Amino acid sequence: MHEISVAISIVEIAEANARKQGARSIQLIKLVLGEFTTIVQEALEFAFEIARQDTLAAHARLVIEIAPMVVRCLSCGVIRSPVRDIILSCPQCGLPLEIVAGEDIQLEYIEVETENIAWSV
Amino acid sequence: MERIAVQTNVLKANQEAALENRLSFEREGLLVMNLMSGPGAGKTSLLEATIQALRGQCQIGVIEGDLQTDLDAERIRALGVRAFQINTGTMCHLDARMISRALQEFPFDDLDLLVIENVGNLICPASYDLGEGLRVVLCSVAEGPEKPKKYPVMFHKADVILLNKIDLGMPSGEDQRELEKNVRDVNPRAKVFAISCRTGEGLVAWTEWLTSAVAIQRPNRLTAS
């Protein structure tokens, strides 16, 4: 159950990027979650509800896109996705398969409200 | 509303700290092992047996990770080996920053092998690189043969997989064979050893392999055995 530490990192990274742009609040956080990670989506969503409290992301929506696992055989070049049963030997030549996608947790972008400068009242 | 591209790995802070640890280990020519398993698979027993086998051949230090207590560090110290206990409180894994903080209090420049015994957990520790050179996963036959299927990320990332408690397997060897097959499915590259820390079976093959891994990392520090 390390989703809470991951959720805190997500909020920290989002806040740092929002501050750099002088944003007032974060509306949306877009995350790409690899299928071959140890993160459970529902647990992460729940942890995010806690982690975002009292931050610029207090009212932000977390949008998670799942990145499917993609494997490639270095010997015969076979690329497979989705991967079923996670058998990581090539079905054609029997050699080990390399995982080329689906292992990362990437924060793609954030949507923010920037400071409104009041030129006239 | 404004969109800001971030394109950042969420575990970046840990990966940066792990890289710093790795560079300082490499500067010392030190082999660092991250030892992981579920609770009760026999990590500390494996360490005790490994320490006894390598006695006189190389200088070992141990960092122990547990939620509570320093019982494991005490077991290691009883063998005359320097041990440092990290208590994570409620955290289910060690991360690279905990290791770099521990290393400020735990000298490692005279060591040939540093073993980090992670928190007993087959899930979270898989995601946190500590800067180790060798990832070792221990799994006991008594836990049932399906563990690699249930926790594929942990088993996939291992360099070495040790199957412990083979003395408790079925007399026919059926469950051990099934466990070995499941290990191979998720990790065809890993070096696999079947052992029993209780009877000593298979331990020589493991400790000899480990001795040569230490020797490759730090050739001049090994004394004649």
Side-chain angles (χ1 to χ4, degrees):
Chain A
M1 181 50 201
H2 57 310
E3 279 80 0
I4 189 70
S5 359
V6 171
I8 291 169
S9 295
I10 291 169
V11 173
E12 281 173 357
I13 294 167
E15 273 201 307
N17 280 274
R19 288 225 165 83
K20 250 190 291 180
Q21 304 289 322
R24 197 171 45 174
S25 67
I26 302 165
Q27 307 299 307
L28 185 146
I29 298 177
K30 173 67 188 290
L31 189 77
V32 176
L33 177 62
E35 189 185 20
F36 198 65
T37 64
T38 55
I39 300 295
V40 177
Q41 180 173 348
E42 291 74 21
L44 180 61
E45 283 163 349
F46 179 64
F48 177 74
E49 302 283 314
I50 299 160
R52 69 179 181 173
Q53 287 171 20
D54 303 320
T55 71
L56 291 183
H59 302 288
R61 201 153 59 87
L62 179 66
V63 177
I64 298 177
E65 178 191 326
I66 300 292
M69 184 175 170
V70 179
V71 295
R72 179 176 59 197
C73 176
L74 292 173
S75 168
C76 67
V78 166
I79 293 177
R80 285 199 305 155
S81 178
V83 180
R84 291 176 60 196
D85 299 332
I86 317 188
I87 293 175
L88 295 171
S89 297
C90 178
Q92 289 183 16
C93 67
L95 288 169
L97 293 166
E98 179 195 36
I99 299 174
V100 290
E103 288 189 291
D104 291 325
I105 312 161
Q106 172 105 346
L107 208 168
E108 286 287 291
Y109 61 80
I110 54 176
E111 287 179 1
V112 299
E113 290 291 351
T114 42
E115 208 81 60
N116 291 327
I117 299 163
W119 296 107
S120 59
V121 180
Chain B
M1 190 90 80
E2 190 189 333
R3 181 175 288 190
I4 304 170
V6 178
Q7 301 284 349
T8 301
N9 188 315
V10 172
L11 298 175
K12 182 169 156 253
N14 186 70
Q15 286 166 345
E16 286 170 354
L19 179 64
E20 276 188 36
N21 290 350
R22 184 165 284 119
L23 291 174
S24 56
F25 297 147
E26 280 173 6
R27 270 197 299 274
E28 296 292 334
L30 173 64
L31 181 67
V32 179
M33 183 204 302
N34 183 359
L35 177 60
M36 293 168 283
S37 81
K43 289 188 296 302
T44 313
S45 299
L46 171 76
L47 264 179
E48 288 171 326
T50 305
I51 287 166
Q52 310 230 10
L54 268 57
R55 195 179 292 274
Q57 294 183 59
C58 67
Q59 194 71 32
I60 305 179
V62 177
I63 295 178
E64 290 281 350
D66 280 295
L67 271 66
Q68 300 291 338
T69 80
D70 64 348
L71 296 171
D72 283 358
E74 285 304 325
R75 279 173 69 180
I76 300 304
R77 286 186 198 119
L79 298 170
V81 165
R82 207 159 67 221
F84 186 89
Q85 181 78 51
I86 299 176
N87 281 136
T88 59
T90 54
M91 281 265 272
C92 50
H93 59 272
L94 293 174
D95 68 33
R97 280 183 285 199
M98 293 180 199
I99 299 302
S100 57
R101 275 198 299 273
L103 292 173
Q104 287 170 9
E105 297 172 49
F106 188 75
F108 60 97
D109 52 341
D110 61 330
L111 299 178
D112 303 297
L113 173 65
L114 173 64
V115 181
I116 303 169
E117 184 183 327
N118 219 312
V119 178
N121 176 348
L122 283 172
I123 310 163
C124 321
S127 298
Y128 290 85
D129 184 3
L130 305 179
E132 70 275 5
L134 189 63
R135 293 172 75 92
V136 177
V137 172
L138 180 70
C139 175
S140 81
V141 176
E143 289 170 75
E146 75 290 347
K147 286 291 176 291
K149 283 189 179 299
K150 289 185 176 172
Y151 305 97
V153 180
M154 174 61 85
F155 284 88
H156 175 74
K157 290 186 171 179
D159 301 303
V160 175
I161 297 170
L162 296 164
L163 313 178
N164 191 22
K165 307 189 190 180
I166 54 172
D167 56 314
L168 297 182
M170 292 175 184
S172 64
E174 192 187 322
D175 49 354
Q176 187 184 326
R177 277 194 301 276
E178 193 183 338
L179 176 59
E180 281 173 4
K181 184 201 171 288
N182 291 341
V183 161
R184 282 284 160 232
D185 279 349
V186 295
N187 192 335
R189 295 168 193 268
K191 186 93 186 136
V192 177
F193 296 95
I195 60 169
S196 165
C197 291
R198 191 164 68 176
T199 67
E201 194 182 345
L203 278 173
V204 172
W206 151 245
T207 54
E208 280 180 354
W209 184 89
L210 182 61
T211 308
S212 43
V214 171
I216 290 165
Q217 197 78 13
R218 185 181 249 189
N220 301 324
R221 289 297 292 264
L222 272 185
T223 53
S225 52

